[in-house]
Amino acid sequence: MKTATSPALAAARSYSVYALIGVTLAHLLNDAMQSAVPAVFPLLRQTLNLSFAQVGWIAFMLNVTACVLQPFIGSITDKRPMPLLLPGGMLFSLVGIIGMAYSSHFAGLLISAMLLGIGSSVLHPESSRVAHLAAGKGSGLAQSVFQVGGNTGQALAPLAVGFLVMPYGTRGLIMFAIAAIIGIFVQYAVSRWYKQQLVTPRAAKTAKAAVQHPRGFVAMAISLLIVLLFSKFVYVASMTGYYSFYYMDRFQRPFEDAQIPLFVLQFAGMLGTLLGGPLADRFGRKKIIWFSIAGTAPFSLLLPYATPFWSIVLCALIGMILMSGFSVIIVYAQELLPGKIGTVSGLFFGLAFGLAGLGSVIMGWLIDLTNVSFVIQLCAYLPLLGLLAMFLPSDAKLAGNAHP
């Protein structure tokens, strides 16, 4: 009997791996499109004569759309999963990136950014659920792998913009439409596997067996995680949206050169994300969350005063440390609210986008009032908020402070 079922079990595991690879690839393509938008801010500002505040509003529209919709979509799909949302989200992204390439007015850019935000808001909750289903018992590692896809896309976007888009102006963004078309086909294939998984009660049984924590315990921990997300993603927004302006102004370097430290930041972040899950399994989730943000502070504080060479080195350290904690935060939050994978994923991905968008608007406004150097130096202090992670419940308390 054991021998008879082993080929079926092996095939099931194989298809699960393919599903995880599929959503990871889709995450890469989606985040490449998302990250291409702030990467072309210097180009948009030059060609359409935009103010820094208007640049901030484009980032805000992109991020706040995802912020508002992701928790809503995650909550709905927890009750009624919708596999076809996976390719559907990529369709919104396709229309958004085409609009971003061909819009000649500020209003068109805002609408295109909103469509990209809708695409992202659909992708993250449902794809994160697929990663959770495909993982089996290795949810931490699966979430890290899924996040690596996004980090890889974020890392590649500045280079693609600098060396492929730049020669053609903003119209060069149409190259990213190819990524959206590939994503539609990949997500459709994943949705077929996902639909098959919904006929089994495995996920529901797991959720019922999970521990439930008191509301006060959950509220305190979630509040601290939100503050940590604020420090992380507003700092990342300052880097992806405005550091290229700072770099070009301070070192008198061309646009293409300014994309290199951003690529290094995101590529190192990919490695950090991949390491975050296994390190959390070894040393504990709370320690990695604390280190991932507070450990960034010494390097972020040095970055505004570094030479071009040391800027690249510091960006590598910042990216690796800072990005190592996000997948760990997601899994930590999923354990706080068991059985609500979509809601938790939507909430935290939505907060990540929303905080980044709000931060972009405020930073753009501040730059118009002051200058880009002041804002970059000010944002360098944000990782110090990571010290608050010391007040998170310990891993042991997270596992044991529960009632039936």
Side-chain angles (χ1 to χ4, degrees):
M1 185 75 174
K2 203 170 188 182
T3 306
T5 57
S6 59
L9 289 172
R13 291 193 190 103
S14 177
Y15 286 128
S16 295
V17 170
Y18 292 145
L20 180 58
I21 292 171
V23 291
T24 300
L25 176 59
H27 199 190
L28 184 157
L29 298 171
N30 176 81
D31 282 26
M33 288 184 284
Q34 299 282 317
S35 298
V37 176
V40 297
F41 280 167
L43 195 58
L44 288 172
R45 188 167 182 266
Q46 180 183 4
T47 56
L48 298 179
N49 198 27
L50 302 178
S51 68
F52 279 105
Q54 286 176 312
V55 165
W57 277 109
I58 295 170
F60 176 79
M61 186 62 74
L62 171 68
N63 290 303
V64 82
T65 304
C67 171
V68 171
L69 288 180
Q70 284 192 81
F72 176 71
I73 291 172
S75 177
I76 289 176
T77 54
D78 272 336
K79 299 171 186 174
R80 185 184 175 188
M82 303 178 189
L84 285 179
L85 281 180
L86 294 172
M90 278 293 182
L91 185 60
F92 276 100
S93 296
L94 173 62
V95 177
I97 202 68
I98 292 173
M100 191 65 66
Y102 287 95
S103 294
S104 56
H105 300 286
F106 178 58
L109 293 174
L110 291 179
I111 293 170
S112 300
M114 182 181 70
L115 290 170
L116 282 164
I118 292 172
S120 188
S121 70
V122 173
L123 177 134
H124 286 108
E126 283 295 78
S127 294
S128 186
R129 190 198 311 279
V130 170
H132 183 80
L133 285 173
K137 295 181 180 179
S139 59
L141 178 59
Q143 191 64 44
S144 289
V145 171
F146 175 63
Q147 277 301 114
V148 163
N151 290 141
T152 305
Q154 292 165 14
L156 293 175
L159 282 187
V161 167
F163 297 99
L164 298 179
V165 174
M166 187 67 177
Y168 304 98
T170 55
R171 297 290 172 90
L173 280 172
I174 198 66
M175 294 180 183
F176 284 91
I178 299 171
I181 293 169
I182 294 171
I184 290 171
F185 285 103
V186 169
Q187 289 288 68
Y188 177 72
V190 172
S191 73
R192 296 181 64 184
W193 177 87
Y194 181 18
K195 187 176 181 180
Q196 291 176 350
Q197 302 310 301
L198 296 178
V199 300
T200 66
R202 179 179 57 184
K205 287 179 180 177
T206 302
K208 288 179 182 177
V211 297
Q212 301 293 324
H213 299 289
R215 288 185 180 179
F217 177 88
V218 172
M220 183 271 291
I222 292 290
S223 297
L224 284 171
L225 291 176
I226 289 172
V227 174
L228 297 176
L229 286 179
F230 169 82
S231 65
K232 177 186 187 299
F233 283 99
V234 175
Y235 179 74
V236 170
S238 75
M239 293 294 294
T240 58
Y242 300 106
Y243 184 73
S244 57
F245 293 105
Y246 174 81
Y247 189 93
M248 288 187 290
D249 181 62
R250 183 169 183 227
F251 301 120
Q252 297 300 302
R253 297 292 182 89
F255 174 79
E256 292 85 353
D257 286 1
Q259 301 307 303
I260 294 174
L262 295 182
F263 165 75
V264 170
L265 177 83
Q266 301 287 11
F267 184 81
M270 175 190 69
L271 298 177
T273 299
L274 189 60
L275 292 171
L279 287 174
D281 290 338
R282 181 177 177 83
F283 298 106
R285 294 194 178 105
K286 177 181 174 178
K287 289 179 181 177
I288 296 304
I289 292 171
W290 178 89
F291 174 71
S292 73
I293 301 177
T296 304
F299 308 110
S300 67
L301 291 169
L302 286 172
L303 181 61
Y305 310 100
T307 63
F309 170 79
W310 285 107
S311 295
I312 292 173
V313 173
L314 290 171
C315 280
L317 293 169
I318 289 169
M320 184 171 289
I321 297 170
L322 188 61
M323 304 296 188
S324 66
F326 186 53
S327 61
V328 183
I329 288 174
I330 294 288
V331 175
Y332 187 99
Q334 287 172 347
E335 290 187 358
L336 282 168
L337 295 166
K340 300 192 177 191
I341 303 300
T343 301
V344 169
S345 299
L347 173 65
F348 279 84
F349 279 111
L351 281 170
F353 279 91
L355 292 170
L358 182 61
S360 293
V361 170
I362 294 173
M363 285 183 285
W365 173 72
L366 275 176
I367 291 170
D368 283 335
L369 287 180
T370 57
N371 56 67
V372 70
S373 296
F374 171 79
V375 171
I376 291 296
Q377 290 167 12
L378 179 66
C379 290
Y381 290 90
L382 283 169
L384 288 172
L385 290 173
L387 294 171
L388 293 174
M390 291 188 296
F391 299 103
L392 282 172
S394 66
D395 291 34
K397 194 171 183 182
L398 186 65
N401 191 0
H403 58 78

